[in-house]
Amino acid sequence: MLELVKTADGSNTIYNPQVGENYHSVNGALQESRHVFLNAGFQYFWIIILQKRYLY
């Protein structure tokens, strides 16, 4: 049965004891999501959109 686990930043993640894994990092699901979605999105925007606009 899946378990809800509190992460280091206070957000929740799901733990699957059958495979011994968490869905998000136990260091912080919120921090992980910010890193993956916001940072990656900003880097894409900066590299693809802004540099094309100003360098070409």
Side-chain angles (χ1 to χ4, degrees), residues 23-49:
Y23 183 74
H24 289 288
S25 168
V26 293
N27 295 316
L30 182 59
Q31 185 269 346
E32 177 186 344
S33 295
R34 284 182 180 148
H35 172 75
V36 170
F37 295 107
L38 295 179
N39 289 351
F42 179 73
Q43 287 177 355
Y44 172 82
F45 177 76
W46 174 251
I47 292 169
I48 303 300
I49 306 300

Side-chain angles (χ1 to χ4, degrees):
M1 179 173 224
L2 300 177
E3 302 171 15
L4 197 59
V5 177
K6 189 76 74 177
T7 65
D9 67 6
S11 58
N12 294 317
T13 189
I14 298 171
Y15 176 72
N16 185 338
Q18 289 181 318
V19 294
E21 293 184 1
N22 294 295
Y23 183 74
H24 289 288
S25 168
V26 293
N27 295 316
L30 182 59
Q31 185 269 346
E32 177 186 344
S33 295
R34 284 182 180 148
H35 172 75
V36 170
F37 295 107
L38 295 179
N39 289 351
F42 179 73
Q43 287 177 355
Y44 172 82
F45 177 76
W46 174 251
I47 292 169
I48 303 300
I49 306 300
L50 292 180
Q51 288 186 359
K52 280 186 177 180
R53 181 180 293 166
Y54 294 108
L55 295 178
Y56 300 107

